[in-house]
Amino acid sequence: MLREMIAGHSFAASDKLNILAHSHGGNVALAASHLGVAHKIDNLVTLNKPTLVGAAYRIGNNVGNFFNISASRDRVQWAGSNARLTGNWATDPNAVNLKVDTSSSNLKPHGALIWDDRIREGWWTWLMDQIQIR
């Protein structure tokens, strides 16, 4: 469906495609990039994406920047990962990875990256700095 949505959008020549995906949505975006999308993905940002090992979840050649942001101690992300036994359940070898300490939030780590304004502002500022550097 993501590939179809992108294919159905009319992009101007200078338009950028940025995808921000949470949890397994990050793996869906990776799979779509691997299977081919009709427009280059300029920035792919995944939040608390469980790392799934397998060809279907590798990054496609049409992705410019790939950022993977994870909350420390996210048990939902850990449980959804098939790389948990290797200890690499919160990182992606093809991404610029950032782990965020969410222990000061009243929210569980899996939701704190999105719903805690202070924590979201922290990783968002880091992300904007990264995009400008590239």
Side-chain angles (χ1 to χ4, degrees):
M1 289 176 63
L2 178 61
R3 288 181 10 193
E4 291 172 12
M5 184 178 73
I6 293 169
H9 184 77
S10 297
F11 288 93
S14 62
D15 284 351
K16 293 186 182 253
L17 175 59
N18 301 305
I19 297 176
L20 176 70
H22 177 251
S23 198
H24 187 60
N27 288 312
V28 170
L30 280 175
S33 78
H34 167 70
L35 296 171
V37 291
H39 192 277
K40 176 188 175 192
I41 300 170
D42 294 282
N43 294 292
L44 173 58
V45 181
T46 57
L47 302 172
N48 292 335
K49 175 187 72 66
T51 300
L52 295 178
V53 177
Y57 300 105
R58 70 178 188 259
I59 192 164
N61 293 330
N62 61 342
V63 177
N65 298 311
F66 177 23
F67 302 98
N68 183 57
I69 304 170
S70 299
S72 299
R73 299 176 307 279
D74 181 355
R75 297 183 74 167
V76 174
Q77 183 182 18
W78 177 85
S81 171
N82 65 6
R84 64 183 169 267
L85 298 179
T86 67
N88 297 325
W89 53 270
T91 60
D92 191 297
N94 300 300
V96 176
N97 292 283
L98 174 68
K99 283 192 181 179
V100 177
D101 180 4
T102 59
S103 62
S104 64
S105 177
N106 292 329
L107 302 171
K108 293 188 187 278
H110 198 68
L113 284 183
I114 297 171
W115 299 110
D116 188 303
D117 294 341
R118 186 183 43 76
I119 289 174
R120 184 180 59 245
E121 182 63 31
W123 65 257
W124 185 259
T125 300
W126 173 86
L127 179 63
M128 292 298 103
D129 289 344
Q130 294 297 309
I131 291 172
Q132 288 179 353
I133 291 169
R134 297 179 187 280

